[in-house]
Amino acid sequence: MSIAGDLIRGHTDAIILARLIQSDSYGYEINKTISNMSGGRFELKEATLYTAFKRLEEAGFIVSYWGNSGAGARRRYYTITPSGREECRILREEWEETKDIMDQLLETREEP
């Protein structure tokens, strides 16, 4: 079953922040983790991912720094800030409320 991007697109920031709560990371690694966690059913487009990084950094929710991967390649890593952790908590609460509403709206009962 494929998950429609429209259903998840509005939650890109929450997904990225949740991954960064786990550990600092870089774009490709975050996207690979998302793909693995979703069983290959969801992946962010590169443009979407980097637009989200820029938006989150401008809002003060993440900061970036240059690091080495160990193989000599320099990568831009991202780390979550305290305000980013709070934003992730708020977005998670919003997601839970959205799930509750959708569960109620999609509930079907057969009339006897």
Side-chain angles (χ1 to χ4, degrees), residues 67-109:
N68 291 326
S69 67
R74 288 188 70 206
R75 292 191 172 114
R76 183 178 294 272
Y77 283 81
Y78 298 89
T79 188
I80 194 166
T81 64
S83 61
R85 289 178 181 276
E86 177 61 14
E87 179 69 2
C88 187
R89 185 192 63 74
I90 291 166
L91 292 173
R92 178 125 177 115
E93 286 177 2
E94 289 175 2
W95 169 248
E96 291 298 331
E97 185 175 344
T98 300
K99 281 192 339 187
D100 290 344
I101 292 168
M102 289 303 296
D103 285 346
Q104 291 171 358
L105 293 173
L106 295 175
E107 182 178 315
T108 59
R109 291 191 184 142

Side-chain angles (χ1 to χ4, degrees), residues 7-112:
L7 294 173
I8 298 177
R9 189 173 301 126
H11 303 283
T12 301
D13 291 356
I15 293 167
I16 292 170
L17 292 173
R19 299 294 35 93
L20 291 174
I21 283 177
Q22 300 304 310
S23 66
D24 293 4
S25 193
Y26 55 95
Y28 175 78
E29 184 176 57
I30 289 171
N31 213 8
K32 186 176 173 186
T33 299
I34 291 167
S35 178
N36 288 341
M37 290 180 76
S38 69
R41 295 176 294 171
F42 183 71
E43 205 172 282
L44 291 170
K45 292 181 179 174
E46 190 173 322
T48 301
L49 184 65
Y50 288 98
T51 299
F53 285 149
K54 183 176 182 182
R55 181 177 55 252
L56 291 167
E57 194 161 22
E58 287 174 354
F61 298 143
I62 64 174
V63 293
S64 63
Y65 62 92
W66 288 101
N68 291 326
S69 67
R74 288 188 70 206
R75 292 191 172 114
R76 183 178 294 272
Y77 283 81
Y78 298 89
T79 188
I80 194 166
T81 64
S83 61
R85 289 178 181 276
E86 177 61 14
E87 179 69 2
C88 187
R89 185 192 63 74
I90 291 166
L91 292 173
R92 178 125 177 115
E93 286 177 2
E94 289 175 2
W95 169 248
E96 291 298 331
E97 185 175 344
T98 300
K99 281 192 339 187
D100 290 344
I101 292 168
M102 289 303 296
D103 285 346
Q104 291 171 358
L105 293 173
L106 295 175
E107 182 178 315
T108 59
R109 291 191 184 142
E110 299 266 338
E111 295 292 325

